[in-house]
Amino acid sequence: MSTFEDQLLEKGLITTARLRQANSDARKSRSALADVLLRQKLVPEEDVLQVFAETQGIAYIELRERDIPKDVIDRLSAKFAAHYQIVPVGFQGGSLTVAVCNPLDMSVVEDIQTATGFSVERVLACRDDVQEALRRYYGVGADTVERILAESGATDADVDVQEESHDLELVAEDTSVVRLVNQLLHEAIANRATDIHFEVYRDGLVLRRRVDGILFDTAVPQNIRLLYPSIVSRIKLMSGLNIVERRMPQDGRARVTIGDAQFDLRVSIVPSIHGEDIVIRILPAAMIFDLPQLGYGEAHIKELRTLIDVPHGIIFVTGPTGSGKSTTLYACLSELNTRERKIITIEDPVEYELRGITQTQINPKVGLTFAHALRSMLRHDPDVMLVGEVRDRETAEIAIQTAMTGHLVLSSLHTNDAAGGAARLIDMGIDPYLITSTVRAFIAQRLVRLNCEKCKEPYERDGQTLYRGAGCRTCHQSGFRGRMAICEFLPLTPPVREMILAKQSAKDIRERADTLGLRTMAEDGWEKVALGMTTAEEVLRVTSA
């Protein structure tokens, strides 16, 4: 039978020279060759484990493709499984089969046998797969939850008692609760989540995360409900909120560091009939805003740069919540942000901090509305102003007056398409003449998910080769990773101005724009489908075309 080293060479996984060096390093560090290969990443982990399994007569499994029954998972506690980084995958005749990622650690087998009384059989699986399975079957933070409950002796009967019987501030500062909240945040950020939703019901807690614009359920241990009051209190402390206030909504913010990166957390807490629901928005503290990264094509980028180079007028970016309007506006500000320009923003809330720009957050409680702030900021001699959103007639009128006095104004509107922008302003009571005199363009956009580059594969549809993600570790089996914008531009050309002055409908303006060569969002999306960047289903989902 071939040795481990022979198999590595025969399969072309490593050169003789590198193998010789790895053996030398193993001797110097008194480590096993497999450990050195994995630590130095000389051979992919999957290949090392497969070759090791073949030469040692044990099995290697693709853990992500397995559905493990609950009664098998229940044979091993979350605390034990997480500590040893193992997952139970089978149980038969008093023998427990566990997936391990460290093929050389035989003490795991001995400890399991001692703790459970079962005989143990090992199979090998990749470390990432083991960790993903731990999260999927036990839930995020399950080992920490088990440890806290074991130390406190809490049971299901304590759910309604804990909130009243403990000093919540002390509980929230408990190291174990801090660790649990950190685990939940770290896991969400590692999975590129933009929002975390904690939803409490009579029968338990539901945790959901928004990734690439879509909400996904996140597995959490069922008994985490016992600790939820402490979790809420910890999050309140982090974000500077009133820890004893449970009847009124509260909004706060915090900054956390994960590795070398910092993230801003926007926390919103609202009372529900079974407790308090929490939504945490996750924003990178340092973010680079770049027009090409938005997904705009070269023609659209050129057109947008032409628009913002003119020192006066209004540019509106339209679309529903979550369509990337703010990101586009920030990218425009980044291009305009030079020492020669004074830039002021009025936002609700301030999404990202930009150096060199004066940013103001509105506060309706003290009377600081968009309109009030806009009036005051004009006295600061700005060249460019960003108004986070035009929501009412007063704000729209002041923004238009600002543009008429020689300022460039960037803002957003909630409309379905670019042609609906003018109709929305007219509905607010704005004179069509003022719209045609100041607005330079309406830009509508949506965000589509991108095919995962690691698992993208071709398929035939209507005689055309298209692409879609098959699902892999990189994209967490979704087939998508990342998002980009699809958009349409409606510049106010003379024909469009005439229709606005005549107060024609958004439908009529859109049809006229089509005859003038307007490239719609759907058409922009289909081009990205043809390029293999996204799927037809994604374009249909966001455009309803």
Side-chain angles (χ1 to χ4, degrees):
M1 182 176 180
S2 298
T3 66
F4 178 56
E5 296 180 27
D6 292 337
Q7 284 287 309
L8 291 172
L9 292 169
E10 287 176 17
K11 293 177 181 291
L13 298 173
I14 193 170
T15 64
T16 303
R18 285 202 169 186
L19 181 58
R20 189 182 302 116
Q21 182 61 50
N23 269 318
S24 174
D25 293 342
R27 286 191 297 272
K28 290 177 183 176
S29 62
R30 296 183 180 180
S31 304
L33 174 61
D35 280 342
V36 172
L37 295 175
L38 292 172
R39 188 167 59 247
Q40 297 183 0
K41 298 182 179 179
L42 297 174
V43 180
E45 180 190 22
E46 186 174 352
D47 292 329
V48 170
L49 295 180
Q50 285 182 347
V51 172
F52 190 91
E54 287 176 20
T55 56
Q56 297 300 313
I58 58 179
Y60 172 85
I61 64 171
E62 293 286 352
L63 196 52
R64 285 182 184 263
E65 298 176 2
R66 287 217 171 194
D67 287 323
I68 306 171
K70 186 178 184 302
D71 64 309
V72 173
I73 292 293
D74 290 343
R75 300 283 176 179
L76 214 56
S77 71
K79 185 168 62 173
F80 201 97
H83 176 74
Y84 288 103
Q85 290 289 288
I86 58 176
V87 178
V89 295
F91 183 79
Q92 188 172 12
S95 177
L96 182 67
T97 302
V98 297
V100 304
C101 50
N102 186 347
L104 301 167
D105 187 0
M106 295 303 297
S107 64
V108 173
V109 173
E110 297 168 3
D111 290 348
I112 297 173
Q113 289 178 161
T114 302
T116 65
F118 305 135
S119 63
V120 177
E121 180 182 344
R122 296 184 311 154
V123 295
L124 301 184
C126 287
R127 183 174 298 276
D128 286 348
D129 288 358
V130 168
Q131 291 176 346
E132 192 275 335
L134 288 171
R135 292 190 292 265
R136 189 192 339 164
Y137 292 108
Y138 289 103
V140 178
D143 56 322
T144 305
V145 172
E146 275 192 9
R147 188 180 302 110
I148 297 172
L149 296 180
E151 292 171 357
S152 66
T155 66
D156 288 346
D158 298 322
V159 173
D160 297 324
V161 178
Q162 284 200 29
E163 193 164 0
E164 303 300 331
S165 63
H166 289 72
D167 184 327
L168 288 183
E169 187 159 347
L170 290 177
V171 171
E173 291 178 334
D174 179 80
T175 305
S176 299
V177 175
V178 171
R179 185 187 304 118
L180 176 59
V181 173
N182 288 348
Q183 280 181 275
L184 296 173
L185 291 172
H186 188 281
E187 178 70 17
I189 290 170
N191 283 280
R192 301 179 303 105
T194 54
D195 304 86
I196 313 173
H197 295 242
F198 295 83
E199 300 164 358
V200 60
Y201 300 98
R202 183 186 301 277
D203 58 350
L205 174 71
V206 173
L207 180 66
R208 298 197 287 170
R209 297 185 298 213
R210 190 178 298 279
V211 180
D212 292 334
I214 305 295
L215 274 174
F216 295 95
D217 283 341
T218 300
V220 290
Q222 188 171 1
N223 52 5
I224 197 174
R225 176 68 174 88
L226 295 165
L227 299 173
Y228 188 57
S230 300
I231 293 172
V232 174
S233 299
R234 171 59 187 163
I235 292 172
K236 285 180 178 178
L237 279 178
M238 289 173 59
S239 48
L241 301 179
N242 185 344
I243 198 168
V244 297
E245 176 58 71
R246 306 186 194 103
R247 300 167 300 172
M248 295 292 292
Q250 296 190 73
D251 295 314
R253 60 196 300 170
R255 176 165 287 193
V256 297
T257 301
I258 304 290
D260 296 329
Q262 288 190 321
F263 297 87
D264 286 326
L265 307 181
R266 309 293 161 80
V267 178
S268 176
I269 300 180
V270 297
S272 67
I273 58 174
H274 296 295
E276 294 176 278
D277 282 10
I278 304 173
V279 174
I280 301 176
R281 181 89 186 275
I282 303 170
L283 300 168
M287 188 167 175
I288 298 173
F289 294 96
D290 183 50
L291 287 177
Q293 289 181 359
L294 299 175
Y296 282 9
E298 289 184 10
H300 281 145
I301 290 175
K302 183 178 180 181
E303 188 170 0
L304 184 54
R305 282 175 172 154
T306 300
L307 289 170
I308 64 176
D309 278 346
V310 177
H312 56 82
I314 304 179
I315 300 167
F316 282 108
V317 180
T318 76
T321 301
S323 59
K325 300 188 299 296
S326 296
T327 304
T328 297
L329 291 172
Y330 275 108
C332 291
L333 288 185
S334 293
E335 295 240 337
L336 293 167
N337 189 11
T338 64
R339 300 306 299 167
E340 294 78 30
R341 292 189 180 96
K342 172 76 170 182
I343 302 176
I344 297 177
T345 76
I346 304 164
E347 306 171 65
D348 182 26
V350 173
E351 296 275 357
Y352 301 96
E353 295 179 17
L354 297 178
R355 184 173 179 82
I357 294 176
T358 302
Q359 296 175 270
T360 303
Q361 181 164 317
I362 70 162
N363 186 354
K365 291 180 182 178
V366 298
L368 184 59
T369 62
F370 276 114
H372 186 195
L374 192 50
R375 283 196 196 94
S376 300
M377 296 309 166
L378 282 173
R379 303 187 191 105
H380 278 249
D381 188 29
D383 297 295
V384 180
M385 297 196 68
L386 182 147
V387 182
E389 183 183 345
V390 169
R391 300 175 179 174
D392 52 49
R393 177 176 179 173
E394 185 181 15
T395 306
E397 286 178 340
I398 299 171
I400 285 172
Q401 290 169 11
T402 302
M404 291 180 74
T405 55
H407 301 83
L408 175 62
V409 180
L410 307 176
S411 190
S412 69
L413 279 173
H414 281 282
T415 65
N416 289 327
D417 57 17
R424 177 82 179 95
L425 292 173
I426 291 172
D427 287 343
M428 288 182 186
I430 304 302
D431 191 310
Y433 171 74
L434 294 177
I435 298 173
T436 58
S437 300
T438 56
V439 177
R440 306 207 58 241
F442 294 100
I443 303 168
Q445 70 175 49
R446 299 289 190 278
L447 296 177
V448 294
R449 292 181 292 172
L450 294 171
N451 286 327
C452 173
E453 289 297 326
K454 291 283 186 180
C455 62
K456 185 169 71 173
E457 60 183 20
Y459 70 100
E460 294 295 321
R461 179 170 178 174
D462 299 327
Q464 186 178 7
T465 301
L466 303 178
Y467 291 84
R468 60 187 168 203
C472 66
R473 294 176 192 166
T474 301
C475 63
H476 299 282
Q477 308 303 319
S478 68
F480 297 99
R481 186 173 176 84
R483 291 189 293 173
M484 72 187 317
I486 58 173
C487 61
E488 62 185 26
F489 280 54
L490 180 66
L492 264 65
T493 57
V496 173
R497 288 195 182 99
E498 289 176 9
M499 298 188 75
I500 294 173
L501 288 171
K503 294 187 178 181
Q504 295 197 29
S505 69
K507 179 176 179 292
D508 291 336
I509 294 174
R510 184 164 52 249
E511 290 175 353
R512 176 65 172 140
D514 287 342
T515 65
L516 295 172
L518 170 71
R519 193 157 168 267
T520 65
M521 275 188 293
E523 290 170 336
D524 190 27
W526 297 132
E527 180 178 310
K528 290 177 169 63
V529 170
L531 292 171
M533 302 170 75
T534 187
T535 66
E537 290 77 14
E538 266 298 286
V539 174
L540 290 171
R541 180 180 68 84
V542 301
T543 62
S544 300

